[in-house]
Amino acid sequence: MDSKEIGSGSSGADLLREIERLRAEKEELESRIHLLEAQIKPRGAAEDKSGSCSLSSLSCSQMNGATISCLSPEMIHRYSRHLLLPDFGVEGQLKLSKSSILVVGAGGLGSPVAMYLVACGVGCLGIVDSDIVELNNLHRQIIHTEAYAGQSKVKSAASSCHAINSSVKLVEHREALQAVNALDIVSKYDIVVDATDNLPSRYMISDCCVLLDKPLVSGAALGLEGQLTVYNYNGGPCYRCLFPTPPPSAACQRCSDSGVLGVVPGVIGCLQALEAIKVASAVKIRGRSPACLICGENAAFTREIFQSFDYENFTQSPMSDKSSEKLNLIPESSRITAIPKSMNIPLSNLEDKLSTIHSALKQAAQDSGKCASLFVVCRRGNDSQRAVDYLSKNGFPLAKDISSEKLNLIPESSRITGKEYNEIVNTGEPHVLVDVRPVHHFKIAAIPKSMNIPLSNLEDKLSTIHSALKQAAQDSGKCASLFVVCRRGNDSQRAVDYLSKNGFPLAKDIVGGLQSWSQDVDHTFPSY
């Protein structure tokens, strides 16, 4: 594709023509990309326009009669940071991957909701909206791009979601959610997120969720403020419990009338996504109002009443800001932590601070009467390596990086590599493998026949280890060995250090833990 050079002396008309040409080329490329993407979409992950949100079941692996993980290695790798959370873990991810969530509205609120739900691994996501993408949407509706201006918001949102996570099933509803179709659409989903911006829709969606017994996560944003609430969940209230009578129409402003700072619906939408995930993982929230006309003890609101209810008349405000005529209605970043007595010299300032370092070393030597050492630390070990490399060439040859230093608690004789342990397994040598990771880590993935004793419980489980070794020796007629493994090889060293001092002097740890096992022995073992 040829490109034309535009000189500094070009006229405004030439520049405009060039912009139009480039936009046309961009649209052509976008179209070709989507065609190619459609050819490689995995089965079950394509955008679904039929309205179906059925999900296939996940197969689970077992170890010693207990379920270890129902997640594929790809899912474990993708969602590893979720799985490390004790209060979420494998169970939370499984519940999320089996859930279906409907997002009503693909605008400022719906954009972050849809993107984060897809990124976090919801099983099926439905998006309903009848609107098209406009240029004045883009400052807050971050799911859309200029390439989709004039096209369906649902189509645009589905494309962005698929680009984030192609394994999630997407269902497109390119229509407005109204009383006549809401029951049919909402009934297909487990959870509903209200990302609309008008009062009649809020009442309608809430009433629909009460009739169908669906949890509802509702949000609103205007100006510099926003709010969100979870309705109809575990005995919780519905929208009418809080607002039995609609407020005056003059009190209900819209973004199109009063404005909104783009980031505000983004913040509220992120919190809505968080609440939807919490609901999918079962969290207790406050109870409902017994006197509510919709969800209360004596409620008589039926599906027939719902479908014929005039929500615009009830609220005296329109559902769409394009049809208002219908009703004739008038820093600085904070420091986190630092090692005590460390001095802060950013890498970018290092060249100008060599004399400062020299003076500090000289002072430390004078204070102690000994030659002082120079150590460098950073967050993850990259910048500190660069700093040591520079310092070693500029008068500090003995500088040492300690950011990425690995734990070295036990002698080499108390350690074996993953490959050496694999040989022990293959030759059938009697042994016991203790996995000292937390329980929720063990549920993600584990080496076959290993027993899980978290490091924090090790002191109370010495008799369990002794019994396991005794049983292994009886079964084989030989003395059984004891090996310890963890995620990356640090906790296993702590465990071996403790075991060696408490009756198990021959215990050994596996160097590098399960991370090395995955890299050096079993490449199919999930890395998280």
Side-chain angles (χ1 to χ4, degrees):
M1 193 177 297
D2 297 330
S3 61
K4 298 178 181 178
E5 294 292 334
I6 302 295
S8 58
S10 300
S11 66
D14 291 336
L15 292 173
L16 288 173
R17 281 194 295 271
E18 179 64 8
I19 290 171
E20 289 301 316
R21 184 185 69 80
L22 291 172
R23 281 180 174 165
E25 290 180 358
K26 180 181 177 182
E27 289 180 6
E28 181 185 352
L29 286 172
E30 290 278 356
S31 178
R32 289 168 61 188
I33 288 171
H34 291 309
L35 287 174
L36 292 172
E37 286 179 340
Q39 297 176 30
I40 62 173
K41 283 175 185 172
R43 287 176 292 180
E47 291 90 344
D48 190 333
K49 302 177 183 63
S50 67
S52 172
C53 210
S54 58
L55 296 169
S56 58
S57 59
L58 296 169
S59 59
C60 303
S61 59
Q62 302 281 324
M63 184 181 295
N64 300 326
T67 300
I68 297 300
S69 178
C70 299
L71 304 175
S72 67
E74 292 77 13
M75 294 176 74
I76 290 174
H77 183 65
R78 178 186 280 267
Y79 308 119
S80 62
R81 301 311 186 262
H82 285 178
L83 306 183
L84 294 174
L85 296 170
D87 295 331
F88 192 80
V90 172
E91 292 86 353
Q93 192 63 49
L94 279 173
K95 288 178 182 177
L96 185 60
S97 67
K98 293 176 181 177
S99 66
S100 56
I101 300 179
L102 177 68
V103 178
V104 185
L109 295 170
S111 290
V113 172
M115 294 169 78
Y116 265 110
L117 289 178
V118 164
C120 290
V122 65
C124 177
L125 182 73
I127 307 173
V128 55
D129 200 315
S130 63
D131 205 359
I132 62 171
V133 179
E134 299 180 47
L135 194 62
N136 63 4
N137 300 151
L138 302 185
H139 80 287
R140 67 192 185 282
Q141 300 179 18
I142 58 173
I143 202 168
H144 308 301
T145 62
E146 292 179 356
Y148 277 92
Q151 300 186 53
S152 163
K153 283 187 178 180
V154 171
K155 177 183 177 183
S156 170
S159 176
S160 295
C161 287
H162 177 75
I164 293 171
N165 191 345
S166 61
S167 67
V168 171
K169 186 169 186 178
L170 299 169
V171 182
E172 300 180 26
H173 302 280
R174 302 183 189 181
E175 57 187 311
L177 191 72
Q178 300 175 327
V180 294
N181 64 3
L183 291 171
D184 179 56
I185 293 175
V186 172
S187 65
K188 298 179 173 69
Y189 298 88
D190 302 322
I191 301 166
V192 178
V193 177
D194 179 1
T196 61
D197 65 349
N198 63 83
L199 194 59
S201 289
R202 296 191 190 286
Y203 277 98
M204 179 197 68
I205 294 169
S206 176
D207 291 352
C208 182
C209 287
V210 170
L211 292 173
L212 297 174
D213 195 24
K214 305 288 185 180
L216 171 63
V217 182
S218 181
L222 185 71
L224 301 176
E225 301 175 355
Q227 63 184 38
L228 70 152
T229 312
V230 178
Y231 297 113
N232 199 48
Y233 174 60
N234 277 356
C238 73
Y239 189 71
R240 286 188 193 244
C241 289
L242 274 66
F243 306 105
T245 304
S249 57
C252 301
Q253 301 175 331
R254 293 172 177 268
C255 295
S256 56
D257 299 323
S258 302
V260 64
L261 190 66
V263 72
V264 175
V267 171
I268 300 301
C270 286
L271 293 174
Q272 284 183 274
L274 173 62
E275 293 303 318
I277 292 171
K278 286 164 61 179
V279 170
S281 303
V283 177
K284 178 67 177 175
I285 302 181
R286 58 170 278 191
R288 67 180 64 185
S289 168
C292 180
L293 296 176
I294 302 300
C295 69
E297 295 174 355
N298 300 314
F301 197 78
T302 65
R303 297 188 181 197
E304 290 72 24
I305 295 175
F306 169 76
Q307 290 182 312
S308 61
F309 198 89
D310 189 340
Y311 285 92
E312 291 184 318
N313 182 59
F314 175 65
T315 60
Q316 286 297 292
S317 59
M319 283 191 171
S320 171
D321 59 6
K322 295 180 174 62
S323 59
S324 57
E325 67 279 5
K326 172 181 169 184
L327 296 177
N328 297 316
L329 300 175
I330 336 230
E332 185 176 318
S333 300
S334 60
R335 296 281 301 278
I336 302 176
T337 56
I339 297 174
K341 299 184 180 179
S342 60
M343 59 189 298
N344 179 227
I345 299 178
L347 181 63
S348 57
N349 299 343
L350 191 60
E351 184 177 357
D352 300 327
K353 296 293 183 177
L354 296 181
S355 60
T356 302
I357 297 173
H358 184 271
S359 298
L361 285 169
K362 185 177 179 180
Q363 185 63 52
Q366 289 176 352
D367 293 343
S368 64
K370 299 178 182 179
C371 183
S373 300
L374 175 61
F375 298 101
V376 183
V377 69
C378 69
R379 185 185 176 203
R380 288 179 172 168
N382 293 330
D383 283 350
S384 56
Q385 290 185 55
R386 296 185 181 97
V388 167
D389 180 62
Y390 177 81
L391 290 168
S392 65
K393 299 172 182 176
N394 289 273
F396 302 91
L398 300 181
K400 187 176 182 181
D401 165 30
I402 60 171
S403 298
S404 55
E405 285 284 294
K406 293 187 176 180
L407 198 64
N408 191 19
L409 279 179
I410 56 180
E412 289 299 317
S413 59
S414 296
R415 315 196 72 187
I416 64 169
T417 65
K419 290 182 178 179
E420 289 171 335
Y421 175 72
N422 191 45
E423 291 177 7
I424 290 171
V425 173
N426 292 335
T427 56
E429 292 185 32
H431 70 279
V432 171
L433 176 63
V434 176
D435 188 324
V436 294
R437 291 176 298 155
V439 174
H440 67 285
H441 282 234
F442 188 75
K443 290 181 179 180
I444 298 173
I447 294 176
K449 299 183 180 180
S450 59
M451 61 188 296
N452 181 221
I453 300 178
L455 182 63
S456 58
N457 300 341
L458 192 59
E459 183 178 356
D460 300 327
K461 295 292 184 179
L462 296 181
S463 60
T464 303
I465 298 173
H466 184 271
S467 298
L469 285 169
K470 186 177 179 180
Q471 186 63 51
Q474 289 177 353
D475 293 343
S476 64
K478 300 178 182 179
C479 184
S481 302
L482 175 60
F483 300 103
V484 184
V485 71
C486 66
R487 185 185 179 199
R488 289 176 173 165
N490 290 333
D491 281 349
S492 57
Q493 287 189 66
R494 296 184 177 99
V496 167
D497 182 57
Y498 177 80
L499 289 168
S500 66
K501 299 171 184 175
N502 289 274
F504 302 91
L506 301 180
K508 295 185 177 183
D509 96 298
I510 298 177
V511 178
L514 294 175
Q515 189 173 67
S516 293
W517 178 263
S518 175
Q519 293 172 354
D520 302 333
V521 180
D522 183 2
H523 299 302
T524 65
F525 192 86
S527 176
Y528 69 97

